[in-house]
């Protein structure tokens, strides 16, 4: 699952805090999914959309449908990481993000997360609004 992000990839810096680690000072494996989520949320903000506001205005939300990770190398307490994303696949209702965590040029974790757009009232699949779909296409 190793990949090199394309020029359209979005990234954020993440510092590893004590709360992110296990007893050995290594990032606990499930926390990488939190880093991935944080990156997706910050991308949404940078695209001009707040998830809470989308729920209120458009009546939609995004839910994780599937996730997988390859853990290549550990991150440790106080490491400065880069967490990134790009779009691997986009449909009218779902988006599959390729995500990664790096320390400098060293790739630590890669993964994919499939997100589905849902109607917040019924929690049934709903189309991704055109204004957001167009922005997601730029991450391909």
């Amino acid at each position: 699952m190793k990949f090199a992000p394309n020029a359209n990839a979005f990234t954020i810096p993440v510092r590893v805090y004590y709360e992110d680690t296990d007893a050995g000072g290594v990032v606990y494996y499930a926390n990488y999914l939190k880093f991935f989520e944080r990156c997706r949320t910050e991308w949404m903000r940078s695209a001009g959309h707040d998830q809470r506001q989308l729920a209120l205005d458009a009546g939609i939300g995004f839910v994780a449908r599937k996730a997988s990770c390859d853990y290549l190398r550990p991150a440790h307490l106080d490491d400065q990481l880069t967490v990134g994303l790009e779009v691997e696949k986009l449909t009218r209702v779902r988006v599959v993000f390729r995500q990664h965590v790096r320390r400098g040029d060293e790739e630590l974790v890669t993964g994919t997360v499939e997100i589905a757009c849902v109607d917040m009232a019924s929690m049934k699949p709903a189309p991704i609004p055109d204004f957001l779909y167009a922005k997601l296409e730029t991450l391909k």
Side-chain angles (χ1 to χ4, degrees):
M1 199 184 273
K2 186 172 178 168
F3 68 94
N6 69 31
N8 297 333
F10 176 82
T11 63
I12 63 167
V14 171
R15 172 76 64 192
V16 176
Y17 295 111
Y18 186 75
E19 67 189 26
D20 300 319
T21 63
D22 61 17
V26 172
V27 172
Y28 182 67
Y29 76 96
N31 287 333
Y32 291 104
L33 292 173
K34 291 180 180 184
F35 297 162
F36 286 177
E37 174 73 28
R38 197 174 305 167
C39 185
R40 292 191 309 274
T41 298
E42 290 305 321
W43 173 80
M44 186 84 77
R45 269 187 235 281
S46 75
H49 305 288
D50 176 300
Q51 292 189 55
R52 181 179 44 183
Q53 206 60 46
L54 281 173
L56 293 172
D57 296 344
I60 61 160
F62 294 93
V63 297
R65 183 173 182 280
K66 189 185 310 184
S68 68
C69 293
D70 284 336
Y71 302 98
L72 308 170
R73 301 207 184 290
H76 300 91
L77 181 63
D78 288 329
D79 280 354
Q80 181 65 42
L81 308 175
T82 300
V83 181
L85 65 80
E86 58 190 76
V87 169
E88 180 174 282
K89 182 178 180 184
L90 180 61
T91 72
R92 288 309 304 172
V93 176
R94 293 185 187 150
V95 57
V96 176
F97 289 99
R98 272 193 321 259
Q99 296 200 245
H100 69 269
V101 177
R102 289 199 168 111
R103 181 179 44 231
D105 290 334
E106 184 179 25
E107 191 165 276
L108 305 180
V109 177
T110 64
T112 59
V113 181
E114 183 176 334
I115 301 296
C117 184
V118 297
D119 176 279
M120 291 301 288
S122 67
M123 294 307 284
K124 292 186 177 180
I128 298 169
D130 290 339
F131 63 86
L132 190 54
Y133 188 91
K135 291 178 181 176
L136 284 163
E137 281 188 313
T138 67
L139 292 172
K140 286 183 170 180

mmCIF file of all heavy atoms in Angstrom, residues 76-120:
data_model
loop_
_atom_site.group_PDB
_atom_site.id
_atom_site.type_symbol
_atom_site.label_atom_id
_atom_site.label_comp_id
_atom_site.label_asym_id
_atom_site.label_seq_id
_atom_site.Cartn_x
_atom_site.Cartn_y
_atom_site.Cartn_z
ATOM 1 N N HIS A 76 7.107 8.041 17.664
ATOM 2 C CA HIS A 76 7.389 8.098 19.096
ATOM 3 C C HIS A 76 7.000 9.450 19.683
ATOM 4 O O HIS A 76 6.794 10.425 18.948
ATOM 5 C CB HIS A 76 8.896 7.869 19.340
ATOM 6 C CG HIS A 76 9.369 6.561 18.833
ATOM 7 N ND1 HIS A 76 9.875 6.387 17.557
ATOM 8 C CD2 HIS A 76 9.396 5.335 19.405
ATOM 9 C CE1 HIS A 76 10.206 5.121 17.378
ATOM 10 N NE2 HIS A 76 9.930 4.466 18.495
ATOM 11 N N LEU A 77 6.958 9.474 20.993
ATOM 12 C CA LEU A 77 6.664 10.684 21.745
ATOM 13 C C LEU A 77 7.500 11.854 21.225
ATOM 14 O O LEU A 77 8.711 11.715 21.011
ATOM 15 C CB LEU A 77 6.960 10.445 23.231
ATOM 16 C CG LEU A 77 6.697 11.604 24.173
ATOM 17 C CD1 LEU A 77 5.217 11.975 24.178
ATOM 18 C CD2 LEU A 77 7.163 11.234 25.582
ATOM 19 N N ASP A 78 6.852 12.986 20.988
ATOM 20 C CA ASP A 78 7.446 14.253 20.535
ATOM 21 C C ASP A 78 7.837 14.291 19.062
ATOM 22 O O ASP A 78 8.328 15.311 18.589
ATOM 23 C CB ASP A 78 8.655 14.672 21.391
ATOM 24 C CG ASP A 78 8.249 15.148 22.771
ATOM 25 O OD1 ASP A 78 7.141 15.715 22.896
ATOM 26 O OD2 ASP A 78 9.023 14.956 23.718
ATOM 27 N N ASP A 79 7.621 13.209 18.318
ATOM 28 C CA ASP A 79 7.887 13.267 16.876
ATOM 29 C C ASP A 79 6.996 14.309 16.217
ATOM 30 O O ASP A 79 5.840 14.490 16.607
ATOM 31 C CB ASP A 79 7.596 11.912 16.212
ATOM 32 C CG ASP A 79 8.698 10.891 16.385
ATOM 33 O OD1 ASP A 79 9.760 11.241 16.925
ATOM 34 O OD2 ASP A 79 8.491 9.732 15.977
ATOM 35 N N GLN A 80 7.546 14.981 15.225
ATOM 36 C CA GLN A 80 6.765 15.883 14.377
ATOM 37 C C GLN A 80 6.443 15.114 13.100
ATOM 38 O O GLN A 80 7.348 14.720 12.364
ATOM 39 C CB GLN A 80 7.560 17.148 14.042
ATOM 40 C CG GLN A 80 6.808 18.138 13.177
ATOM 41 C CD GLN A 80 5.580 18.733 13.858
ATOM 42 O OE1 GLN A 80 5.614 19.074 15.028
ATOM 43 N NE2 GLN A 80 4.499 18.834 13.120
ATOM 44 N N LEU A 81 5.169 14.888 12.858
ATOM 45 C CA LEU A 81 4.716 14.081 11.734
ATOM 46 C C LEU A 81 3.998 14.938 10.692
ATOM 47 O O LEU A 81 3.540 16.032 11.001
ATOM 48 C CB LEU A 81 3.744 12.995 12.218
ATOM 49 C CG LEU A 81 4.221 12.113 13.374
ATOM 50 C CD1 LEU A 81 3.109 11.172 13.808
ATOM 51 C CD2 LEU A 81 5.476 11.358 13.000
ATOM 52 N N THR A 82 3.886 14.397 9.500
ATOM 53 C CA THR A 82 3.048 14.980 8.461
ATOM 54 C C THR A 82 1.998 13.942 8.114
ATOM 55 O O THR A 82 2.328 12.797 7.811
ATOM 56 C CB THR A 82 3.872 15.321 7.199
ATOM 57 O OG1 THR A 82 4.891 16.252 7.565
ATOM 58 C CG2 THR A 82 2.992 15.923 6.120
ATOM 59 N N VAL A 83 0.743 14.352 8.187
ATOM 60 C CA VAL A 83 -0.373 13.466 7.852
ATOM 61 C C VAL A 83 -1.002 14.017 6.584
ATOM 62 O O VAL A 83 -1.275 15.215 6.486
ATOM 63 C CB VAL A 83 -1.404 13.406 8.999
ATOM 64 C CG1 VAL A 83 -2.548 12.464 8.651
ATOM 65 C CG2 VAL A 83 -0.727 12.975 10.294
ATOM 66 N N GLY A 84 -1.223 13.139 5.602
ATOM 67 C CA GLY A 84 -1.735 13.605 4.322
ATOM 68 C C GLY A 84 -2.866 12.753 3.795
ATOM 69 O O GLY A 84 -3.133 11.652 4.278
ATOM 70 N N LEU A 85 -3.518 13.313 2.776
ATOM 71 C CA LEU A 85 -4.594 12.596 2.107
ATOM 72 C C LEU A 85 -4.660 12.983 0.646
ATOM 73 O O LEU A 85 -4.190 14.043 0.241
ATOM 74 C CB LEU A 85 -5.951 12.850 2.777
ATOM 75 C CG LEU A 85 -6.530 14.272 2.750
ATOM 76 C CD1 LEU A 85 -7.193 14.624 1.432
ATOM 77 C CD2 LEU A 85 -7.546 14.409 3.861
ATOM 78 N N GLU A 86 -5.226 12.091 -0.130
ATOM 79 C CA GLU A 86 -5.612 12.353 -1.508
ATOM 80 C C GLU A 86 -6.773 11.415 -1.810
ATOM 81 O O GLU A 86 -7.044 10.487 -1.047
ATOM 82 C CB GLU A 86 -4.453 12.163 -2.472
ATOM 83 C CG GLU A 86 -3.831 10.791 -2.456
ATOM 84 C CD GLU A 86 -2.541 10.750 -3.253
ATOM 85 O OE1 GLU A 86 -1.515 11.241 -2.763
ATOM 86 O OE2 GLU A 86 -2.583 10.197 -4.358
ATOM 87 N N VAL A 87 -7.486 11.698 -2.885
ATOM 88 C CA VAL A 87 -8.641 10.889 -3.239
ATOM 89 C C VAL A 87 -8.222 9.779 -4.193
ATOM 90 O O VAL A 87 -7.610 10.036 -5.226
ATOM 91 C CB VAL A 87 -9.753 11.758 -3.868
ATOM 92 C CG1 VAL A 87 -10.850 10.890 -4.476
ATOM 93 C CG2 VAL A 87 -10.337 12.692 -2.820
ATOM 94 N N GLU A 88 -8.544 8.547 -3.819
ATOM 95 C CA GLU A 88 -8.280 7.390 -4.673
ATOM 96 C C GLU A 88 -9.476 7.094 -5.565
ATOM 97 O O GLU A 88 -9.323 6.750 -6.724
ATOM 98 C CB GLU A 88 -7.972 6.178 -3.800
ATOM 99 C CG GLU A 88 -7.685 4.923 -4.574
ATOM 100 C CD GLU A 88 -7.240 3.810 -3.646
ATOM 101 O OE1 GLU A 88 -6.068 3.822 -3.236
ATOM 102 O OE2 GLU A 88 -8.089 2.948 -3.335
ATOM 103 N N LYS A 89 -10.676 7.219 -4.999
ATOM 104 C CA LYS A 89 -11.891 6.919 -5.751
ATOM 105 C C LYS A 89 -13.007 7.835 -5.249
ATOM 106 O O LYS A 89 -13.121 8.077 -4.045
ATOM 107 C CB LYS A 89 -12.288 5.462 -5.552
ATOM 108 C CG LYS A 89 -13.503 5.041 -6.327
ATOM 109 C CD LYS A 89 -13.808 3.563 -6.103
ATOM 110 C CE LYS A 89 -15.049 3.164 -6.903
ATOM 111 N NZ LYS A 89 -15.422 1.781 -6.632
ATOM 112 N N LEU A 90 -13.816 8.305 -6.188
ATOM 113 C CA LEU A 90 -14.909 9.211 -5.844
ATOM 114 C C LEU A 90 -16.155 8.804 -6.614
ATOM 115 O O LEU A 90 -16.106 8.649 -7.834
ATOM 116 C CB LEU A 90 -14.507 10.650 -6.197
ATOM 117 C CG LEU A 90 -15.502 11.762 -5.921
ATOM 118 C CD1 LEU A 90 -15.823 11.856 -4.427
ATOM 119 C CD2 LEU A 90 -14.945 13.090 -6.433
ATOM 120 N N THR A 91 -17.250 8.587 -5.881
ATOM 121 C CA THR A 91 -18.548 8.341 -6.506
ATOM 122 C C THR A 91 -19.502 9.419 -6.005
ATOM 123 O O THR A 91 -19.105 10.277 -5.203
ATOM 124 C CB THR A 91 -19.109 6.935 -6.168
ATOM 125 O OG1 THR A 91 -19.525 6.912 -4.792
ATOM 126 C CG2 THR A 91 -18.085 5.843 -6.445
ATOM 127 N N ARG A 92 -20.727 9.367 -6.405
ATOM 128 C CA ARG A 92 -21.683 10.401 -5.977
ATOM 129 C C ARG A 92 -21.974 10.319 -4.485
ATOM 130 O O ARG A 92 -22.405 11.301 -3.890
ATOM 131 C CB ARG A 92 -22.995 10.284 -6.762
ATOM 132 C CG ARG A 92 -22.910 10.714 -8.192
ATOM 133 C CD ARG A 92 -22.294 12.082 -8.429
ATOM 134 N NE ARG A 92 -22.936 13.171 -7.716
ATOM 135 C CZ ARG A 92 -22.475 14.412 -7.668
ATOM 136 N NH1 ARG A 92 -21.362 14.737 -8.298
ATOM 137 N NH2 ARG A 92 -23.102 15.334 -6.998
ATOM 138 N N VAL A 93 -21.744 9.161 -3.861
ATOM 139 C CA VAL A 93 -22.078 8.976 -2.452
ATOM 140 C C VAL A 93 -20.863 8.678 -1.578
ATOM 141 O O VAL A 93 -20.873 8.947 -0.391
ATOM 142 C CB VAL A 93 -23.128 7.843 -2.299
ATOM 143 C CG1 VAL A 93 -23.434 7.538 -0.856
ATOM 144 C CG2 VAL A 93 -24.402 8.214 -3.038
ATOM 145 N N ARG A 94 -19.791 8.142 -2.178
ATOM 146 C CA ARG A 94 -18.628 7.709 -1.392
ATOM 147 C C ARG A 94 -17.339 8.306 -1.911
ATOM 148 O O ARG A 94 -17.206 8.591 -3.096
ATOM 149 C CB ARG A 94 -18.496 6.183 -1.429
ATOM 150 C CG ARG A 94 -19.608 5.483 -0.736
ATOM 151 C CD ARG A 94 -19.350 4.005 -0.718
ATOM 152 N NE ARG A 94 -20.519 3.335 -0.187
ATOM 153 C CZ ARG A 94 -20.887 2.128 -0.531
ATOM 154 N NH1 ARG A 94 -20.168 1.433 -1.382
ATOM 155 N NH2 ARG A 94 -21.945 1.591 0.004
ATOM 156 N N VAL A 95 -16.384 8.398 -0.987
ATOM 157 C CA VAL A 95 -15.034 8.799 -1.363
ATOM 158 C C VAL A 95 -14.061 7.885 -0.620
ATOM 159 O O VAL A 95 -14.237 7.599 0.564
ATOM 160 C CB VAL A 95 -14.773 10.295 -1.061
ATOM 161 C CG1 VAL A 95 -15.003 10.630 0.392
ATOM 162 C CG2 VAL A 95 -13.387 10.719 -1.480
ATOM 163 N N VAL A 96 -13.078 7.384 -1.354
ATOM 164 C CA VAL A 96 -12.018 6.590 -0.739
ATOM 165 C C VAL A 96 -10.780 7.470 -0.700
ATOM 166 O O VAL A 96 -10.283 7.916 -1.738
ATOM 167 C CB VAL A 96 -11.732 5.292 -1.527
ATOM 168 C CG1 VAL A 96 -10.558 4.538 -0.904
ATOM 169 C CG2 VAL A 96 -12.978 4.415 -1.571
ATOM 170 N N PHE A 97 -10.307 7.736 0.508
ATOM 171 C CA PHE A 97 -9.094 8.531 0.708
ATOM 172 C C PHE A 97 -7.903 7.604 0.877
ATOM 173 O O PHE A 97 -7.976 6.624 1.619
ATOM 174 C CB PHE A 97 -9.211 9.395 1.971
ATOM 175 C CG PHE A 97 -10.172 10.526 1.864
ATOM 176 C CD1 PHE A 97 -11.446 10.424 2.388
ATOM 177 C CD2 PHE A 97 -9.795 11.712 1.251
ATOM 178 C CE1 PHE A 97 -12.337 11.481 2.314
ATOM 179 C CE2 PHE A 97 -10.671 12.770 1.166
ATOM 180 C CZ PHE A 97 -11.947 12.669 1.696
ATOM 181 N N ARG A 98 -6.799 7.917 0.206
ATOM 182 C CA ARG A 98 -5.496 7.322 0.507
ATOM 183 C C ARG A 98 -4.855 8.276 1.505
ATOM 184 O O ARG A 98 -4.797 9.472 1.264
ATOM 185 C CB ARG A 98 -4.628 7.236 -0.748
ATOM 186 C CG ARG A 98 -4.829 5.991 -1.537
ATOM 187 C CD ARG A 98 -3.741 5.775 -2.583
ATOM 188 N NE ARG A 98 -3.297 6.969 -3.253
ATOM 189 C CZ ARG A 98 -3.675 7.347 -4.468
ATOM 190 N NH1 ARG A 98 -4.521 6.632 -5.153
ATOM 191 N NH2 ARG A 98 -3.203 8.444 -5.000
ATOM 192 N N GLN A 99 -4.369 7.725 2.589
ATOM 193 C CA GLN A 99 -3.776 8.588 3.613
ATOM 194 C C GLN A 99 -2.420 8.045 4.033
ATOM 195 O O GLN A 99 -2.123 6.864 3.848
ATOM 196 C CB GLN A 99 -4.727 8.729 4.801
ATOM 197 C CG GLN A 99 -6.024 9.427 4.371
ATOM 198 C CD GLN A 99 -6.790 10.026 5.517
ATOM 199 O OE1 GLN A 99 -7.883 9.580 5.792
ATOM 200 N NE2 GLN A 99 -6.231 11.038 6.162
ATOM 201 N N HIS A 100 -1.612 8.936 4.564
ATOM 202 C CA HIS A 100 -0.273 8.537 4.998
ATOM 203 C C HIS A 100 0.164 9.356 6.205
ATOM 204 O O HIS A 100 -0.363 10.444 6.447
ATOM 205 C CB HIS A 100 0.742 8.708 3.871
ATOM 206 C CG HIS A 100 1.011 10.143 3.543
ATOM 207 N ND1 HIS A 100 0.292 10.828 2.596
ATOM 208 C CD2 HIS A 100 1.899 11.014 4.057
ATOM 209 C CE1 HIS A 100 0.744 12.069 2.538
ATOM 210 N NE2 HIS A 100 1.715 12.214 3.415
ATOM 211 N N VAL A 101 1.114 8.792 6.935
ATOM 212 C CA VAL A 101 1.788 9.490 8.032
ATOM 213 C C VAL A 101 3.273 9.364 7.764
ATOM 214 O O VAL A 101 3.781 8.263 7.523
ATOM 215 C CB VAL A 101 1.445 8.879 9.411
ATOM 216 C CG1 VAL A 101 2.222 9.580 10.514
ATOM 217 C CG2 VAL A 101 -0.065 8.956 9.680
ATOM 218 N N ARG A 102 3.958 10.504 7.800
ATOM 219 C CA ARG A 102 5.411 10.517 7.571
ATOM 220 C C ARG A 102 6.118 11.287 8.674
ATOM 221 O O ARG A 102 5.558 12.211 9.260
ATOM 222 C CB ARG A 102 5.722 11.190 6.233
ATOM 223 C CG ARG A 102 5.310 10.356 5.061
ATOM 224 C CD ARG A 102 6.029 10.819 3.797
ATOM 225 N NE ARG A 102 5.836 9.824 2.773
ATOM 226 C CZ ARG A 102 5.090 10.006 1.686
ATOM 227 N NH1 ARG A 102 4.517 11.153 1.466
ATOM 228 N NH2 ARG A 102 4.959 9.042 0.816
ATOM 229 N N ARG A 103 7.353 10.902 8.897
ATOM 230 C CA ARG A 103 8.276 11.656 9.749
ATOM 231 C C ARG A 103 9.393 12.061 8.813
ATOM 232 O O ARG A 103 10.209 11.229 8.404
ATOM 233 C CB ARG A 103 8.777 10.785 10.895
ATOM 234 C CG ARG A 103 9.718 11.492 11.851
ATOM 235 C CD ARG A 103 10.192 10.599 12.993
ATOM 236 N NE ARG A 103 10.569 9.275 12.509
ATOM 237 C CZ ARG A 103 10.130 8.129 13.030
ATOM 238 N NH1 ARG A 103 9.296 8.113 14.049
ATOM 239 N NH2 ARG A 103 10.521 6.968 12.529
ATOM 240 N N GLY A 104 9.382 13.327 8.403
ATOM 241 C CA GLY A 104 10.318 13.756 7.369
ATOM 242 C C GLY A 104 10.000 13.018 6.085
ATOM 243 O O GLY A 104 8.857 12.980 5.649
ATOM 244 N N ASP A 105 11.005 12.382 5.490
ATOM 245 C CA ASP A 105 10.802 11.604 4.271
ATOM 246 C C ASP A 105 10.474 10.138 4.554
ATOM 247 O O ASP A 105 10.254 9.360 3.634
ATOM 248 C CB ASP A 105 12.064 11.662 3.394
ATOM 249 C CG ASP A 105 12.270 13.036 2.800
ATOM 250 O OD1 ASP A 105 11.274 13.769 2.635
ATOM 251 O OD2 ASP A 105 13.436 13.384 2.503
ATOM 252 N N GLU A 106 10.454 9.767 5.814
ATOM 253 C CA GLU A 106 10.229 8.366 6.191
ATOM 254 C C GLU A 106 8.733 8.074 6.321
ATOM 255 O O GLU A 106 8.028 8.697 7.128
ATOM 256 C CB GLU A 106 10.926 8.088 7.524
ATOM 257 C CG GLU A 106 10.853 6.677 7.979
ATOM 258 C CD GLU A 106 11.588 6.477 9.305
ATOM 259 O OE1 GLU A 106 11.738 7.443 10.077
ATOM 260 O OE2 GLU A 106 11.995 5.333 9.538
ATOM 261 N N GLU A 107 8.253 7.143 5.528
ATOM 262 C CA GLU A 107 6.852 6.756 5.578
ATOM 263 C C GLU A 107 6.633 5.794 6.738
ATOM 264 O O GLU A 107 7.308 4.774 6.846
ATOM 265 C CB GLU A 107 6.473 6.093 4.259
ATOM 266 C CG GLU A 107 4.995 5.891 4.095
ATOM 267 C CD GLU A 107 4.661 5.574 2.661
ATOM 268 O OE1 GLU A 107 4.523 6.509 1.859
ATOM 269 O OE2 GLU A 107 4.566 4.379 2.366
ATOM 270 N N LEU A 108 5.675 6.141 7.614
ATOM 271 C CA LEU A 108 5.405 5.333 8.796
ATOM 272 C C LEU A 108 4.142 4.495 8.657
ATOM 273 O O LEU A 108 4.118 3.330 9.042
ATOM 274 C CB LEU A 108 5.281 6.230 10.034
ATOM 275 C CG LEU A 108 6.455 7.167 10.313
ATOM 276 C CD1 LEU A 108 6.169 7.988 11.561
ATOM 277 C CD2 LEU A 108 7.750 6.406 10.435
ATOM 278 N N VAL A 109 3.081 5.105 8.147
ATOM 279 C CA VAL A 109 1.793 4.428 8.030
ATOM 280 C C VAL A 109 1.135 4.865 6.725
ATOM 281 O O VAL A 109 1.179 6.033 6.357
ATOM 282 C CB VAL A 109 0.857 4.784 9.212
ATOM 283 C CG1 VAL A 109 -0.520 4.140 9.048
ATOM 284 C CG2 VAL A 109 1.477 4.366 10.527
ATOM 285 N N THR A 110 0.531 3.910 6.018
ATOM 286 C CA THR A 110 -0.304 4.224 4.868
ATOM 287 C C THR A 110 -1.643 3.541 5.083
ATOM 288 O O THR A 110 -1.738 2.543 5.813
ATOM 289 C CB THR A 110 0.300 3.731 3.535
ATOM 290 O OG1 THR A 110 0.378 2.315 3.556
ATOM 291 C CG2 THR A 110 1.658 4.341 3.284
ATOM 292 N N GLY A 111 -2.670 4.075 4.472
ATOM 293 C CA GLY A 111 -3.979 3.461 4.633
ATOM 294 C C GLY A 111 -4.998 4.020 3.679
ATOM 295 O O GLY A 111 -4.737 4.974 2.946
ATOM 296 N N THR A 112 -6.150 3.393 3.690
ATOM 297 C CA THR A 112 -7.298 3.904 2.950
ATOM 298 C C THR A 112 -8.472 3.983 3.907
ATOM 299 O O THR A 112 -8.616 3.141 4.813
ATOM 300 C CB THR A 112 -7.679 3.017 1.744
ATOM 301 O OG1 THR A 112 -7.975 1.719 2.196
ATOM 302 C CG2 THR A 112 -6.576 2.977 0.707
ATOM 303 N N VAL A 113 -9.273 5.008 3.710
ATOM 304 C CA VAL A 113 -10.485 5.184 4.500
ATOM 305 C C VAL A 113 -11.611 5.505 3.529
ATOM 306 O O VAL A 113 -11.508 6.451 2.751
ATOM 307 C CB VAL A 113 -10.335 6.314 5.541
ATOM 308 C CG1 VAL A 113 -11.617 6.456 6.355
ATOM 309 C CG2 VAL A 113 -9.144 6.071 6.449
ATOM 310 N N GLU A 114 -12.660 4.685 3.572
ATOM 311 C CA GLU A 114 -13.827 4.931 2.732
ATOM 312 C C GLU A 114 -14.877 5.659 3.561
ATOM 313 O O GLU A 114 -15.248 5.206 4.648
ATOM 314 C CB GLU A 114 -14.405 3.607 2.215
ATOM 315 C CG GLU A 114 -15.573 3.805 1.288
ATOM 316 C CD GLU A 114 -16.087 2.515 0.685
ATOM 317 O OE1 GLU A 114 -15.302 1.546 0.569
ATOM 318 O OE2 GLU A 114 -17.281 2.472 0.348
ATOM 319 N N ILE A 115 -15.319 6.789 3.038
ATOM 320 C CA ILE A 115 -16.283 7.645 3.718
ATOM 321 C C ILE A 115 -17.546 7.708 2.878
ATOM 322 O O ILE A 115 -17.482 7.864 1.656
ATOM 323 C CB ILE A 115 -15.698 9.074 3.886
ATOM 324 C CG1 ILE A 115 -14.393 9.052 4.680
ATOM 325 C CG2 ILE A 115 -16.719 10.011 4.518
ATOM 326 C CD1 ILE A 115 -14.516 8.596 6.107
ATOM 327 N N ALA A 116 -18.700 7.598 3.530
ATOM 328 C CA ALA A 116 -19.982 7.695 2.836
ATOM 329 C C ALA A 116 -20.709 8.955 3.287
ATOM 330 O O ALA A 116 -20.661 9.331 4.460
ATOM 331 C CB ALA A 116 -20.839 6.472 3.132
ATOM 332 N N CYS A 117 -21.379 9.588 2.346
ATOM 333 C CA CYS A 117 -22.214 10.741 2.637
ATOM 334 C C CYS A 117 -23.603 10.221 3.006
ATOM 335 O O CYS A 117 -24.146 9.367 2.296
ATOM 336 C CB CYS A 117 -22.285 11.660 1.413
ATOM 337 S SG CYS A 117 -23.215 13.177 1.690
ATOM 338 N N VAL A 118 -24.165 10.717 4.097
ATOM 339 C CA VAL A 118 -25.483 10.272 4.538
ATOM 340 C C VAL A 118 -26.387 11.456 4.837
ATOM 341 O O VAL A 118 -25.921 12.540 5.198
ATOM 342 C CB VAL A 118 -25.409 9.361 5.791
ATOM 343 C CG1 VAL A 118 -24.654 8.073 5.498
ATOM 344 C CG2 VAL A 118 -24.814 10.089 6.977
ATOM 345 N N ASP A 119 -27.678 11.224 4.682
ATOM 346 C CA ASP A 119 -28.701 12.169 5.122
ATOM 347 C C ASP A 119 -28.752 12.057 6.647
ATOM 348 O O ASP A 119 -28.925 10.956 7.187
ATOM 349 C CB ASP A 119 -30.039 11.783 4.499
ATOM 350 C CG ASP A 119 -31.163 12.656 4.995
ATOM 351 O OD1 ASP A 119 -31.679 12.391 6.104
ATOM 352 O OD2 ASP A 119 -31.532 13.598 4.263
ATOM 353 N N MET A 120 -28.581 13.167 7.350
ATOM 354 C CA MET A 120 -28.489 13.114 8.807
ATOM 355 C C MET A 120 -29.799 12.687 9.473
ATOM 356 O O MET A 120 -29.771 12.105 10.553
ATOM 357 C CB MET A 120 -28.030 14.471 9.355
ATOM 358 C CG MET A 120 -26.584 14.804 9.004
ATOM 359 S SD MET A 120 -25.390 13.592 9.614
ATOM 360 C CE MET A 120 -25.442 13.951 11.363
#
